[in-house]
Amino acid sequence: MSAFSRLVMATTQAGPVRKLITDTRPGKALAHRFVAGDDVGAAIEIARSLGESKIAVSLDLLGEDVSKEEEIEQAVQGYVECLQAIEASGVEGNISVKLTQLGLEVDPGLAANTLDLLAIDAAALGLTVTIDMESSEHTDATVSIYEAAQGRHGNLGICLQAYLHRTPEDLRRLMPLGGLIRLCKGAYVEPAEVALQGREEVDRAFARLLDELMHSEECHPAIATHDPALIAQAKSLAGARQASFEFQMLFGVRPEEQRALAGEGYAVRVYVPYGSNWYAYLTRRLAERPANLGLFARALVGKR
Ligand code: FDA
């Protein structure tokens, strides 16, 4: 993550900036670019329209760092409704979950149990669950919980972040489990002891991991990037690959490239977040591309 992106991340943590984004029309409009809407119905609507371009979805009920029991229960209930809505609507979809939304910070055992419930519900409907990867203090627990749950249920996936020094080892540990492995660059502010800092070194790490992942016939690679050079590399590796893989992108980011890849016959899945807890998610989208904040600032000034 560049120094400027770190600055954006730090600035958006300040209360007045948060208020400026959550309480103004330009702020809400910016969120709307990246978030489907407040409820599962809005997410299913987006899924249907992406489906017209043969694009699948992964639905994310926004929320993270949850510590209250009732909020954990609400998240589980929300995800159960989401799985049922996917099934009932017939859209091609699965769910993405964050373990800190399922109780990881309260008790890893609780997060493992709630994940089990969702995996069982999803399996009953023929659906899958992918675990997002959060900040590095949670990586160890997330990898272990995935390993155990995938061993028990077989319908899970996990995201690995190319910027972490530990990821080559995690990749080799998890590929034989046969689940979906989503490779992304990494979106959190991390210290140099745990993560690569420069954009170019992260890109090189992603390229090396991508090569390894695409040579594994055991797991299902999900290549989660909008980076044209890495997408081109994945296409060139795809020629020799016998087993399945997919591209993944975020709702609101490079939609024309999403449709182009699907039009070329590649499997494409778009990550579609929904719900009212969108602020933390939005700050990561702003930090990835500080120009997004410029658009917001201009809209704000224009409105005043
Ligand atoms: P890069 O940042 O180099 O972007 C390449 C190009 O894409 C840019 O030049 C721009 O055109 C466009 N672009 C990228 N981000 C944009 C934005 N926010 N707004 C507008 N344009 C943008 N991270 C994580 O830590 N844990 C996770 O679980 C996940 N999960 C996840 C799922 C999926 C499906 C995707 C695509 C990404 C994630 N990520 C994630 C986020 C990931 O780590 C990374 O921060 C972003 O994907 C941006 O990196 P790119 O690989 O797109 O490259």
Side-chain angles (χ1 to χ4, degrees), residues 6-277:
R6 282 168 183 270
L7 183 66
V8 170
M9 206 58 137
T11 310
T12 52
Q13 304 311 312
V17 177
R18 182 185 178 122
K19 229 171 133 38
L20 199 62
I21 295 177
T22 53
D23 293 1
T24 62
R25 199 185 286 217
K28 288 178 189 155
L30 183 63
H32 229 74
R33 177 179 159 190
F34 298 105
V35 176
D38 278 347
D39 56 24
V40 69
I44 294 290
E45 220 172 282
I46 297 287
R48 279 193 212 282
S49 87
L50 288 165
E52 285 166 17
S53 304
K54 302 207 172 340
I55 295 173
V57 293
S58 191
L59 301 187
D60 164 37
L61 171 56
L62 289 163
E64 51 202 271
D65 301 332
V66 173
S67 56
K68 289 194 188 117
E69 214 170 286
E70 72 258 27
E71 287 176 30
I72 297 166
E73 276 167 22
Q74 270 168 20
V76 174
Q77 189 50 37
Y79 269 120
V80 168
E81 282 165 18
C82 182
L83 286 165
Q84 288 165 352
I86 291 171
E87 216 269 328
S89 63
V91 299
E92 182 61 44
N94 63 23
I95 58 170
S96 284
V97 301
K98 287 187 174 55
L99 292 187
T100 66
Q101 190 182 13
L102 302 184
L104 186 62
E105 285 172 331
V106 181
D107 168 15
L110 173 65
N113 290 342
T114 48
L115 180 69
D116 268 346
L117 293 177
L118 292 179
I120 290 166
D121 262 40
L125 299 171
L127 301 175
T128 62
V129 180
T130 300
I131 305 171
D132 289 347
M133 189 57 81
E134 302 178 70
S135 54
S136 61
E137 73 218 83
H138 302 303
T139 312
D140 234 11
T142 304
V143 166
S144 300
I145 290 173
Y146 166 71
E147 202 170 29
Q150 172 63 6
R152 277 196 294 275
H153 307 289
N155 65 332
L156 286 108
I158 189 169
C159 181
L160 293 179
Q161 299 153 322
Y163 64 11
L164 291 188
H165 301 313
R166 58 175 285 162
T167 294
E169 237 172 83
D170 287 334
L171 185 69
R172 277 162 223 149
R173 173 174 163 191
L174 300 182
M175 281 190 304
L177 301 182
L180 177 149
I181 295 190
R182 178 203 294 157
L183 180 63
C184 73
K185 289 187 186 179
Y188 294 79
V189 177
E190 298 289 358
E193 303 86 80
V194 295
L196 300 165
Q197 302 293 305
R199 268 187 176 269
E200 282 165 22
E201 47 179 359
V202 175
D203 291 354
R204 282 196 295 273
F206 192 115
R208 284 193 298 273
L209 293 162
L210 177 60
D211 190 69
E212 207 166 326
L213 188 56
M214 288 291 275
H215 280 97
S216 158
E217 305 279 320
E218 300 158 300
C219 66
H220 176 83
I223 303 146
T225 183
H226 316 90
D227 184 328
L230 294 170
I231 292 170
Q233 185 195 346
K235 284 181 178 178
S236 75
L237 289 166
R241 188 173 170 81
Q242 304 293 322
S244 62
F245 74 99
E246 66 189 52
F247 287 104
Q248 289 196 358
M249 294 195 197
L250 300 175
F251 175 64
V253 179
R254 302 199 69 206
E256 63 307 323
E257 178 66 11
Q258 297 169 9
R259 286 191 293 272
L261 283 170
E264 287 167 49
Y266 291 107
V268 179
R269 186 180 302 275
V270 168
Y271 183 101
V272 179
Y274 70 94
S276 49
N277 294 322

